[in-house]
Amino acid sequence: MTQTFTGNASYLNNGNDLIVVLGHGQLARMMYLGATQLGLNIIAVDATNRVCVNAVDKTVLDLTVEQAFEACKAITSEFEHLPKDLVKQAEDSGKFKPNAQAIAAGADRIVEKSLLEKLDIPNCPHQIINSVSDLQNAYQNLGPKLILKTSRDGYDGYGQWRIFSEQDLAVVCGDLVDFDFEHMPLVAEQCILFEREISLLGVTDIHGEHKYYPLTENHHGDGQLVLSLAPAPNLTPELQQRAEAIHKTMAEALNYCGVLAIELFQTGDQLLVNEIAPRVHNSGHWTQQGCAASQFENHIRAVAGLPLGDTSAQHLVAMVNYVGEPKPSSELLKLDNAHLHWYDKSVRSKRKMGHINLVADSVEELQKLIGQVHDLLPESLATNLAEIKE
Ligand code: ATP
Ligand code: MG
C-alpha cells in the first residue's frame, strides 16, 4: 500500500509543529493520534529503508529524512532497535529526545545491565556470555534455572532460551557451538521466581520534571505481554514510591525527556528491574482510556516542550493484547466500555494486531466485562482471561 506523493510537501508548512518519529509501527501510529488532538503533526521514518512515511497509512512521503530532521521541532523514536547511523544523525541534529544514550541502554542488554549496576538499581543476577564455557560457568553460578538472552534485537520474548535443567543446558550448548559471540554476546540471567510482573511508566518534561502513571500489573504468555491490569491490584503508596524512586534515578542519569518504561519483577517488598524501554510501551496502552492524558499524548507533549497532562488513573482498565488473530467481530463493539484499538497490520502468528481497553469503575464491573469479552474472543486469546474473569 505504498504510494509516492509529489508536489508541495504541505506537512512541512509549520515545522515548529512537526515531530519526527523513528520507526513506523503501531506506537508511531498511536503517537500520531495523540499528537493530532494537540494540533501537532507527526512524520514517521521507516528506519530500515530510511524513508519518511505517513504514521497511520504508511504511504511514502515526498521528503528525505534530512529534510524532515531539518524542518521539525523534535525527533523521537518508537523503538530502540534502530540503525546506529540513524540514531547518530538524529542526535547530531540536537533535536533528539530522549537521546542516543537512552536508546543504547534500551537496545543493548549489556549497556543496560552496566547502567543498572552503576546506579545501584537492583536487577536480576546475570553474567555476560562470550563463549559456551561462559554459559556452563554461569549455569554453575546462577542455575539451576537460567534465561539466556541475546544482548540486542530481542523483543516479545524472541532471542531467548530457557535453560531449566542440565539437559536443557547440554542442548543449548550444542546449538551454540558455531554461534558468533563476538557479533552477538549473550546475557544469562537467573530465572527469578517473582510474585508478579509490574511496570512503571513515567514521563519527564523538557525541564526535567517527572510525572508517573500508577503501576501496572502485567501478564505474559510465551514471553509476550498478553494482559495488563491498571492500576495494579493491591497497589500501595509505598510500592508506587519505591518504583518511582528507581525511575527517577534512571531518568536523571539518562538526562531523559519523554516516556520511559521500567519493567519490574515484584516479590513482597522487593523490586528487581527486568529491563527498561526508552519509549512508550505496550503496558501503558491502558492510559488511552484510563487517564486524562495517555502515554502517547504525554510523550509528544514532553518532546515538544509542552506542559505534561494528568497521569492519574480515572478508571480501572484491563488491556488485552490482540495477538495473531484477525479483527474481532463487531459484537465486541456492542459492549459499553470495551475500546478496540486496531493497528491495520496483516495477520501473523504472535504478531500484535491491536488491543482492547476494558474500562470500569469497580473490580466487580471490570470482572463482569472481562467475562463478557472472554466469550467473544478466539480461544488463543480467551485463555489469557480465563483466570481473572468473574
Ligand atoms: P518485551 O519486548 O515483550 O518486553 P523482551 O523480549 O524484551 O520482551 P524480556 O522482557 O527480557 O524480553 O522477557 C520477556 C518475559 O520473559 C518477561 O516479561 C518475563 O515474563 C520473562 N522473563 C524474562 N527474564 C526473566 C527472568 N530473569 N526470570 C524470570 N522470568 C523472566
Ligand atoms: Mg520485556
Side-chain angles (χ1 to χ4, degrees):
M1 199 186 43
T2 57
Q3 177 193 340
T4 302
F5 286 114
T6 50
N8 284 341
S10 57
Y11 30 80
L12 288 186
N13 280 350
N14 190 350
N16 216 22
D17 289 342
L18 177 67
I19 313 287
V20 175
V21 179
L22 306 183
H24 67 308
Q26 68 265 18
L27 300 179
R29 178 183 163 112
M30 290 186 277
M31 278 190 229
Y32 176 98
L33 298 172
T36 36
Q37 70 194 29
L38 296 171
L40 300 174
N41 196 6
I42 297 270
I43 285 178
V45 174
D46 172 345
T48 315
N49 303 318
R50 289 184 67 94
V51 290
C52 295
V53 300
N54 176 297
V56 175
D57 65 15
K58 323 290 188 224
T59 47
V60 174
L61 305 176
D62 180 22
L63 174 83
T64 64
V65 168
E66 288 68 27
Q67 287 171 321
F69 281 11
E70 175 71 23
C72 69
K73 183 182 179 71
I75 304 166
T76 189
S77 86
E78 66 145 18
F79 74 147
E80 48 281 7
H81 304 301
L82 291 164
K84 282 209 166 111
D85 57 342
L86 187 61
V87 173
K88 179 166 187 319
Q89 193 182 342
E91 184 87 340
D92 288 348
S93 75
K95 300 177 181 178
F96 191 36
K97 295 181 181 64
N99 54 48
Q101 191 200 356
I103 297 297
D108 187 328
R109 292 190 197 277
I110 297 176
V111 178
E112 179 183 58
K113 298 285 189 207
S114 77
L115 182 64
L116 290 166
E117 295 290 319
K118 190 177 111 193
L119 298 175
D120 230 359
I121 297 176
N123 62 95
C124 306
H126 62 274
Q127 274 181 228
I128 312 299
I129 306 297
N130 284 304
S131 65
V132 167
S133 66
D134 280 356
L135 179 58
Q136 283 159 336
N137 176 272
Y139 190 80
Q140 297 313 316
N141 295 336
L142 304 171
K145 289 192 173 185
L146 290 188
I147 302 200
L148 184 63
K149 304 180 179 180
T150 55
S151 50
R152 304 185 305 273
D153 300 334
Y155 68 99
D156 286 347
Y158 290 110
Q160 299 192 1
W161 296 258
R162 264 122 177 105
I163 303 177
F164 288 179
S165 64
E166 296 272 358
Q167 288 90 320
D168 290 350
L169 178 66
V171 172
V172 176
C173 286
D175 288 350
L176 292 177
V177 166
D178 293 321
F179 191 79
D180 186 356
F181 288 96
E182 212 168 300
H183 169 68
M184 179 65 82
L186 305 176
V187 178
E189 286 178 12
Q190 189 165 71
C191 182
I192 306 297
L193 297 174
F194 48 76
E195 281 167 15
R196 64 171 172 173
E197 291 192 59
I198 52 180
S199 57
L200 185 71
L201 274 81
V203 56
T204 307
D205 73 10
I206 208 159
H207 308 294
E209 295 299 318
H210 313 284
K211 278 195 175 191
Y212 304 97
Y213 291 99
L215 280 160
T216 305
E217 179 179 299
N218 300 317
H219 297 255
H220 290 75
D222 208 10
Q224 187 176 39
L225 183 70
V226 290
L227 172 75
S228 290
L229 299 174
N234 306 316
L235 177 56
T236 61
E238 293 73 29
L239 188 70
Q240 178 76 22
Q241 277 159 20
R242 214 165 312 121
E244 287 182 10
I246 292 173
H247 196 288
K248 188 161 187 274
T249 303
M250 182 61 82
E252 285 176 359
L254 290 171
N255 198 13
Y256 207 82
C257 177
V259 168
L260 170 69
I262 303 198
E263 296 179 14
L264 301 148
F265 297 149
Q266 183 192 355
T267 307
D269 289 346
Q270 193 198 31
L271 290 180
L272 290 184
V273 172
N274 170 31
E275 60 174 358
I276 66 163
R279 53 170 165 80
V280 289
H281 192 255
N282 196 169
S283 71
H285 290 0
W286 69 271
T287 60
Q288 289 171 307
Q289 264 72 44
C291 301
S294 74
Q295 62 163 345
F296 302 102
E297 180 180 338
N298 260 336
H299 183 74
I300 292 300
R301 285 181 182 232
V303 303
L306 299 170
L308 301 178
D310 185 8
T311 51
S312 61
Q314 305 195 334
H315 306 283
L316 302 181
V317 184
M319 189 285 307
V320 181
N321 258 354
Y322 216 95
V323 179
E325 297 279 357
K327 202 170 187 177
S329 95
S330 50
E331 282 301 297
L332 182 80
L333 302 180
K334 287 188 185 161
L335 293 174
D336 289 343
N337 303 323
H339 299 264
L340 178 67
H341 297 258
W342 198 249
Y343 312 151
D344 263 338
K345 302 196 292 193
S346 50
V347 185
R348 226 173 36 211
S349 157
K350 271 199 88 171
R351 191 174 216 193
K352 289 173 184 164
M353 304 299 301
H355 64 273
I356 311 167
N357 281 336
L358 306 177
V359 182
D361 289 321
S362 70
V363 174
E364 295 70 32
E365 213 183 285
L366 186 61
Q367 275 183 326
K368 184 166 170 228
L369 186 55
I370 288 171
Q372 289 169 317
V373 170
H374 171 273
D375 297 342
L376 294 175
L377 292 183
E379 180 61 28
S380 70
L381 304 179
T383 50
N384 299 323
L385 297 183
E387 267 177 45
I388 55 161
K389 76 185 173 81
E390 196 182 23

